[in-house]
Amino acid sequence: MKISNNWLKEYIKTDLKPEKTAEYLTDIGLEVEGTEKFENIKGGLEGIVVGKVLTCGKHPNADKLSITTVDVGGVTPLEIVCGAPNVTAGQTVPVAVVGTKIHTKDGGSFEIKEAKIRGEKSQGMICAEDELGLSNDHGGIMVLDGEKFKVGEPFANYFDIENDEVYEIGLTPNRTDAMSHYGVARDLNAFLVSNNLKSDFDKVVSQQITATGTSGFQLEVEDSEICPRYIAAVMNNITVKESPEWLKNRLKAIGLSPINNIVDITNYVLHSFGQPLHAFDADKIAGKKVKVGVNAEGTKFTTLDGAERTLNGSEIMIKDGDNQPMCIAGVFGGNHSGVSSSTISVFLESAYFNPVAVRKAAKYHGLNTDASFRFERGVDPNMTQTALTFAIKMMEELAGGTMVGELLEHYPKKMEDHYVILRFSKIEQLLGTKIHREKVKEILKALEINVLNDIPNGLEVSVPAYRVDVTREIDVIEEILRIYGYNKIDSPDKLSYTAVKMSFEDQAQLENSWAATLQGNGFNEVMNNSLTAVKDENEAVKLLNPLSNDLAFMRKSLLEGMLENAAYNINRKSADLKFFELGKIYHKRATYEERKQLALLVTGREKPENWLEQKSATDFYYLKGYVTLLLDLLNIETEERPAEDARFSECLEVVSGGKTIARLGKVAPKLLKDFDVDQDCFYAEIELENAQELRQKGTFKFADLPKFNKIRRDLALLLDKSVPYSELYAAASRNNSPYLKKINLFDVYEGKNLPEGKKSYAMSFELLNEQKTLEEKEIAEVMNSLIKDFQKEFGAELRG
């Protein structure tokens, strides 16, 4: 949010320089993220002087150029080449002398230098209005009134040059009290007063207004829950015209474009006091009646931007006597009822709308306005009338309007301040230091928090309604500390904490263990938003009040987010990736389901590019190696089987105890295309809750290194193509021999010299007896047993 230093001075008078003001604002939690200079006339017309054209003749080498001599109050006139069609002798004109910096529309600038133009000397420039930033007119040079403007005088003397310092303040959503210049000035004053610095703060009150006759308008609020307070006035004899310069400068300084005096007044009051106003053309309100309520679902409504919107039936609507919608309350006005250049009567609204209802309407229609930004966070209900009376006074002065009839108001139940009991002992306990009780009272007074009663060890206080986030004792203490100064709290000499040891039963211990393992193997952790957009809404959990259509659903899988991560990095020339994420996924089935998973994604090369290994692309087995590494830490028996999953072109499922532990495979090309990823990706997801439930508390066993050598024997088996290696491995693992230590597949062959429908597996087996060297007879018994099992279960044949 932008705050103008000159605007602040309308409410607070200090001797502070802008840089000191920025420092203090940051100290009290209104962090100044940046500052910028504002000039209503770029460059302030520095170097521009009033001159008089003495002579004007044609340029000998260019028909469209003129050679002039111009008196600018110096000893000798300046020779200036001018290309304007309207230049002539005797004119009084603004002149940029040599050394003047001219600011262009695109934000750039250039310096006027003495130069030769088509062979003729030129010692300056006669200026057009757009070159001075006074207008967009470039039809010719600016001709001045010779009686009013004196030759040789600085041109700036005839203008109100305004220079301002603008602060960009980063506000947290709870700081609605500071979403205006008045609110910021109020907070700054509290800080300055409590720190014995000079400050004079003008507290605003409602203006005295007078009305004539009766307006004939009626007000009806259908539900006080959605609109606790509504107040309005009718102004007649309005003249819609351009705003005065001072008002336009205020708005321009904070980045707003002036429109006309009526709209500019409502914007000025909004940014002054944080109270949004809305002006309707009173002559367009049917039946001279304004209703606050809802319209039926499906009602069509055209907003100020010309877009036709379909109402969902929950928006707070401002309606006319015929129940026709005129405005989405607190969000956006209607195209039909707005103020135009022909408006002569205005219905001016100031209200407090239900924050939740305003937020839902704004998000549903994808609108984010200055008004909704404040209404949905909660405005000051006691500022509605004050802001309205300020706007009435301004319309009387700047638009010639007169108020007719009394104020129309709906306020059946006053919105009370917050009652809080504040304990001095609690302040000392939380801050770790003692603040004098009188100092506490002084800060509370500066914050406009009223002390109702002194009680033993504390105070009874009343917190004004505009401090919507200050409702508890801890909130009041935070406000005291903010003004007292965080820097005044000394850091303790020592820190005390209680170390927490995670137990084996704690899932977080498993997650940390796996994360550390992956990080040690070169994986980077990613964290993605659990809110997303989905193409297939089947089983998707949809938000009732989404921030936007792109964040309308809870994610059903971690894969999509990781593909976005991959695409982002690949597009920035980082194509070799190893990611993991610990996150939750959500489904709507018979009931709502929420599961936590560990997801892995690999793509690109296994190792950095080098001369020795040109081709080392990641593949399914590369990923499976890491999944196996993690599952081995569970100390459980697992089984692998093929699975069907639309996200994968090839998918393997790992189960244990009848529960799915993991799924992994090659990401389907269609899904890669959807995310603009043009290289193969391999993805795995592990179900954390299932893994933790099946996890067995293992014990480490230590043994001496074997004194005897391992024996390796190989088998080449001819089998049907339908037989997977996993079944051979399982059959070999069931062998009763205590000597069989390791089983491995080291070659698979399909092709020439094999019968049709057959393939060859080459398997190795490691045998070891820790007590003695194995004899050939014992080795043969184990191998013959394996061969027999393979022949019986799979019809295997031995290859030579």
Side-chain angles (χ1 to χ4, degrees), residues 440-441 444-445 449-454 458-462:
V440 170
K441 291 181 180 180
L444 292 174
K445 181 180 179 181
I449 297 176
N450 296 323
V451 176
L452 303 177
N453 290 303
D454 284 68
L459 303 168
E460 290 180 340
V461 300
S462 174

Side-chain angles (χ1 to χ4, degrees), residues 143-204:
V143 181
L144 308 175
D145 183 346
E147 295 183 2
K148 177 181 177 183
F149 291 84
K150 185 177 179 182
V151 172
E153 284 285 313
F155 193 48
N157 291 354
Y158 299 92
F159 293 86
D160 290 327
I161 306 295
E162 178 160 337
N163 297 301
D164 199 356
E165 191 88 12
V166 181
Y167 313 109
E168 184 70 43
I169 293 179
L171 283 178
T172 52
N174 62 315
R175 292 303 310 275
T176 57
D177 60 293
M179 291 180 182
S180 65
H181 286 80
Y182 179 74
V184 171
R186 179 173 53 201
D187 245 25
L188 180 60
N189 174 71
F191 176 82
L192 296 176
V193 168
S194 65
N195 285 276
N196 300 316
L197 297 170
K198 183 179 178 181
S199 177
D200 183 13
F201 179 65
D202 291 333
K203 185 173 181 179
V204 297

Side-chain angles (χ1 to χ4, degrees), residues 219-222 289-293 317-321 323:
L219 172 66
E220 179 185 335
V221 176
E222 297 173 359
K289 186 172 185 178
V290 172
K291 297 181 180 181
V292 183
M317 300 299 298
I318 309 300
K319 305 178 290 184
D320 63 19
N323 282 321

Side-chain angles (χ1 to χ4, degrees), residues 502-520:
M502 290 186 178
S503 68
F504 184 83
E505 290 74 22
D506 193 338
Q507 184 173 305
Q509 190 272 339
L510 174 63
E511 294 174 14
N512 291 340
S513 172
W514 276 354
T517 300
L518 291 169
Q519 288 165 350

Side-chain angles (χ1 to χ4, degrees), residues 309 312 315 328-332 355-369 371-373 376 545-548:
R309 305 178 188 275
N312 63 20
E315 304 96 337
I328 303 176
V331 182
F332 211 29
V356 175
V358 172
R359 182 178 182 277
K360 286 183 177 180
K363 299 307 176 187
Y364 179 80
H365 292 287
L367 295 168
N368 183 22
T369 62
S372 67
F373 180 76
E376 65 189 35
N545 187 32
L547 292 172
S548 69

Side-chain angles (χ1 to χ4, degrees), residues 717-725 728 748-751 754-761 797 799:
L717 302 173
L718 186 66
L719 303 112
D720 291 338
K721 283 187 176 181
S722 60
V723 178
Y725 168 69
L728 294 174
V748 179
Y749 177 72
E750 296 181 36
L754 290 182
E756 188 176 347
K758 297 289 186 178
K759 64 181 174 181
S760 173
Y761 279 145
E797 299 177 32
R799 296 186 67 204

Side-chain angles (χ1 to χ4, degrees), residues 645-795:
D645 192 317
R647 298 172 298 165
F648 302 102
S649 55
E650 302 169 1
C651 181
L652 179 71
E653 188 173 61
V654 182
V655 297
S656 179
K659 294 186 175 183
T660 299
I661 299 295
R663 281 195 170 200
L664 61 152
K666 183 179 180 180
V667 180
K670 183 179 183 302
L671 195 55
L672 293 177
K673 185 178 179 181
D674 289 342
F675 287 86
D676 294 326
V677 177
D678 57 1
Q679 61 188 52
D680 289 341
C681 292
F682 301 89
Y683 173 78
E685 57 190 22
I686 303 176
E687 300 290 344
L688 282 165
E689 283 90 350
N690 289 350
Q692 175 65 17
E693 183 181 338
L694 295 167
R695 183 184 182 197
Q696 300 296 320
K697 189 172 183 179
T699 55
F700 291 101
K701 295 181 180 180
F702 297 91
D704 292 333
L705 290 173
K707 297 177 181 179
F708 305 96
N709 292 332
K710 295 176 183 177
I711 306 297
R712 170 173 167 155
R713 291 291 185 267
D714 298 340
L715 289 178
L717 302 173
L718 186 66
L719 303 112
D720 291 338
K721 283 187 176 181
S722 60
V723 178
Y725 168 69
S726 59
E727 294 185 10
L728 294 174
Y729 182 89
S733 299
R734 291 193 294 270
N735 191 282
N736 293 326
S737 173
Y739 307 141
L740 183 59
K741 301 300 182 183
K742 186 176 180 181
I743 307 161
N744 184 46
L745 175 69
F746 65 88
D747 187 43
V748 179
Y749 177 72
E750 296 181 36
K752 293 181 180 180
N753 303 321
L754 290 182
E756 188 176 347
K758 297 289 186 178
K759 64 181 174 181
S760 173
Y761 279 145
M763 299 175 64
S764 66
F765 304 89
E766 288 188 359
L767 308 175
L768 174 67
N769 185 337
E770 287 89 352
Q771 306 302 320
K772 66 183 185 71
T773 301
L774 281 171
E775 297 180 2
E776 196 60 40
K777 179 181 178 181
E778 294 172 310
I779 297 171
E781 285 180 0
V782 177
M783 297 308 298
N784 288 335
S785 174
L786 290 169
I787 294 169
K788 184 178 179 181
D789 290 340
F790 292 149
Q791 290 173 336
K792 182 179 179 181
E793 293 190 36
F794 310 108

Side-chain angles (χ1 to χ4, degrees), residues 533-745:
V534 298
K535 288 186 176 180
D536 179 13
E537 296 186 15
N538 183 41
E539 296 188 346
V541 179
K542 186 175 183 179
L543 274 66
L544 294 175
N545 187 32
L547 292 172
S548 69
N549 291 332
D550 291 333
L551 301 171
F553 293 87
M554 306 294 285
R555 62 186 175 190
K556 298 195 292 182
S557 167
L558 300 181
L559 173 57
E560 288 76 8
M562 299 187 82
L563 287 176
E564 288 181 356
N565 301 141
Y568 182 89
N569 283 271
I570 292 169
N571 291 337
R572 286 155 181 79
K573 308 302 180 184
S574 180
D576 305 327
L577 307 169
K578 292 161 71 175
F579 290 148
F580 78 93
E581 180 173 11
L582 290 158
K584 292 183 178 180
I585 61 171
Y586 309 86
H587 295 87
K588 183 182 179 183
R589 292 169 177 148
T591 59
Y592 286 102
E593 295 181 9
E594 177 182 320
R595 308 198 313 274
K596 194 168 188 180
Q597 292 182 335
L598 167 65
L600 288 73
L601 185 138
V602 297
T603 185
R605 289 185 292 261
E606 292 182 23
K607 299 176 182 178
E609 186 177 17
N610 62 81
W611 65 273
L612 185 61
E613 293 184 75
Q614 293 297 320
K615 294 182 179 180
S616 59
T618 56
D619 57 19
F620 172 82
Y621 298 100
Y622 179 75
L623 175 64
K624 185 184 176 186
Y626 288 114
V627 174
T628 303
L629 175 65
L630 298 177
L631 296 184
D632 284 347
L633 299 176
L634 299 178
N635 196 24
I636 60 175
E637 294 291 331
T638 60
E639 178 187 346
E640 299 173 359
R641 62 192 184 196
E644 294 292 330
D645 192 317
R647 298 172 298 165
F648 302 102
S649 55
E650 302 169 1
C651 181
L652 179 71
E653 188 173 61
V654 182
V655 297
S656 179
K659 294 186 175 183
T660 299
I661 299 295
R663 281 195 170 200
L664 61 152
K666 183 179 180 180
V667 180
K670 183 179 183 302
L671 195 55
L672 293 177
K673 185 178 179 181
D674 289 342
F675 287 86
D676 294 326
V677 177
D678 57 1
Q679 61 188 52
D680 289 341
C681 292
F682 301 89
Y683 173 78
E685 57 190 22
I686 303 176
E687 300 290 344
L688 282 165
E689 283 90 350
N690 289 350
Q692 175 65 17
E693 183 181 338
L694 295 167
R695 183 184 182 197
Q696 300 296 320
K697 189 172 183 179
T699 55
F700 291 101
K701 295 181 180 180
F702 297 91
D704 292 333
L705 290 173
K707 297 177 181 179
F708 305 96
N709 292 332
K710 295 176 183 177
I711 306 297
R712 170 173 167 155
R713 291 291 185 267
D714 298 340
L715 289 178
L717 302 173
L718 186 66
L719 303 112
D720 291 338
K721 283 187 176 181
S722 60
V723 178
Y725 168 69
S726 59
E727 294 185 10
L728 294 174
Y729 182 89
S733 299
R734 291 193 294 270
N735 191 282
N736 293 326
S737 173
Y739 307 141
L740 183 59
K741 301 300 182 183
K742 186 176 180 181
I743 307 161
N744 184 46
L745 175 69

